[in-house]
Amino acid sequence: MFGIKKKQEKKTKITADDSLRHIAFIMDGNGRWAKGKGMPREFGHKKGAETMKNIVKYCGSININCVTVYAFSTENWKRPENEVNAIMELLGQYIDYLYTVMEKDNIQVHFLGDKSRFTPELRARLERAESDSSKYSKILNVALNYGGRDEIVHAVNKLIEQGKENITEADIEANLYTSHCPPPDLIVRTAGEIRTSNFLLWQGAYSELYFTDVLWPDFSESDVDKAVEAFYRRTRRFGAVV
Ligand code: IPE
Ligand code: IPE
Ligand code: MG
């Protein structure tokens, strides 16, 4: 079970143990949050990026050593050009931010997804951030131009290139974008949609799923606590009898 540490007189702080090594977030609802405020969708993405910084930091502080955030899907290119451009600009700002925290917060960043769709400049920056942070140890995966189907096809094509004939599950796993980390124990989706939208199709086979109506820009530390508490109330069986 997880520990509850007394911090102050009344406040308790959740800490995760080895059964919750990896938490993943489908950060949804930026557009609706902005609309509710009579603002353009881009405004929601800006606030969503701030939320992402706070939530990643908080997860580290409660001992979760691997965090994945779904930032942009292979299908999100269908959105209006100005929205896509605004998200790409925020991404550039986020890379700068990462350099200000990676050492202090011990963050090793990975960008999951097909980077070939980005401009050569952006791609180089993404790759540089990955190599510059490789000496740190808390894993942060930012899924960008990420699709679960695309990832599996990409893995299979890599195996074909290697001349493999009898492909095993282990072969596929070793060639997924997430080969450096365990599968997610808990996948959280905000904003009320009850679907996974092409996120971690392979890795999520036995993940616990948690859905909340809270829109991503409003998602707070106490919402993380609620998801983690719900996770610890689940019984994971992995197909066995427990
Ligand atoms: C999630 O928020 C961010 C991305 C998919 C890039 P949305 O932009 O999907 O927000 P809603 O679902 O339209 O409210
Ligand atoms: C999923 O959200 C993708 C991200 C959070 C990056 P979407 O808003 O794209 O998903 P759908 O369209 O509601 O399924
Ligand atoms: Mg959405």
Side-chain angles (χ1 to χ4, degrees):
M1 278 299 284
F2 64 109
I4 298 200
K5 274 190 200 156
K6 283 262 185 238
K7 208 182 160 201
Q8 286 166 353
E9 263 301 277
K10 281 182 189 150
K11 270 198 181 166
T12 54
K13 188 167 164 73
I14 288 173
T15 47
D17 62 12
D18 276 353
S19 65
L20 178 48
R21 293 177 298 174
H22 182 176
I23 188 167
F25 295 96
I26 302 175
M27 309 184 290
D28 198 17
N30 292 350
R32 277 164 281 175
W33 182 87
K35 194 175 176 206
K37 298 198 151 19
M39 299 295 280
R41 296 177 58 83
E42 292 71 20
F43 184 67
H45 294 311
K46 196 161 189 272
K47 179 67 167 41
E50 292 308 310
T51 301
M52 177 171 134
K53 293 176 191 168
N54 291 340
I55 296 301
V56 168
K57 205 178 181 71
Y58 183 65
C59 289
S61 82
I62 61 169
N63 201 35
I64 301 176
N65 290 320
C66 180
V67 181
T68 300
V69 287
Y70 198 9
F72 194 84
S73 75
T74 44
E75 288 73 36
N76 288 148
W77 297 103
K78 296 177 198 161
R79 296 185 177 205
E81 204 183 324
N82 62 338
E83 179 171 348
V84 171
N85 290 343
I87 294 172
M88 293 303 141
E89 200 180 316
L90 284 168
L91 171 61
Q93 292 166 10
Y94 185 71
I95 300 170
D96 291 338
Y97 162 81
L98 275 176
Y99 276 91
T100 68
V101 293
M102 59 172 70
E103 183 175 1
K104 180 165 58 84
D105 294 345
N106 196 22
I107 293 175
Q108 178 187 122
V109 69
H110 296 258
F111 295 98
L112 313 181
D114 177 4
K115 295 188 190 84
S116 68
R117 181 90 191 247
F118 299 115
T119 61
E121 295 74 24
L122 181 54
R123 185 177 179 162
R125 287 183 72 200
L126 295 171
E127 284 167 355
R128 208 173 314 121
E130 288 179 329
S131 62
D132 288 344
S133 66
S134 63
K135 53 185 173 291
Y136 307 121
S137 57
K138 278 185 183 277
I139 291 167
L140 169 61
N141 297 315
V142 181
L144 270 187
N145 190 25
Y146 175 87
R149 290 178 179 174
D150 173 75
E151 178 181 38
I152 294 167
V153 170
H154 176 260
V156 171
N157 279 324
K158 276 183 29 189
L159 291 163
I160 292 171
E161 269 171 40
Q162 292 160 24
K164 286 258 181 200
E165 277 171 11
N166 288 307
I167 294 172
T168 63
E169 290 192 10
D171 289 330
I172 297 211
E173 258 152 35
N175 286 278
L176 294 175
Y177 296 125
T178 52
S179 57
H180 55 280
C181 66
D185 299 298
L186 173 62
I187 297 178
V188 174
R189 182 171 188 148
T190 60
E193 311 298 349
I194 315 294
R195 57 176 171 261
T196 53
S197 301
N198 205 11
F199 188 49
L200 302 178
L201 293 186
W202 179 286
Q203 303 88 330
Y206 272 100
S207 302
E208 295 299 321
L209 306 179
Y210 178 88
F211 299 96
T212 171
D213 288 339
V214 177
L215 302 175
W216 178 256
D218 288 329
F219 195 75
S220 67
E221 297 176 0
S222 67
D223 294 312
V224 175
D225 290 352
K226 282 183 202 153
V228 169
E229 280 161 0
F231 171 84
Y232 279 109
R233 286 194 296 272
R234 308 272 177 96
T235 303
R236 301 184 79 187
R237 280 185 287 274
F238 300 96
V241 178
V242 177

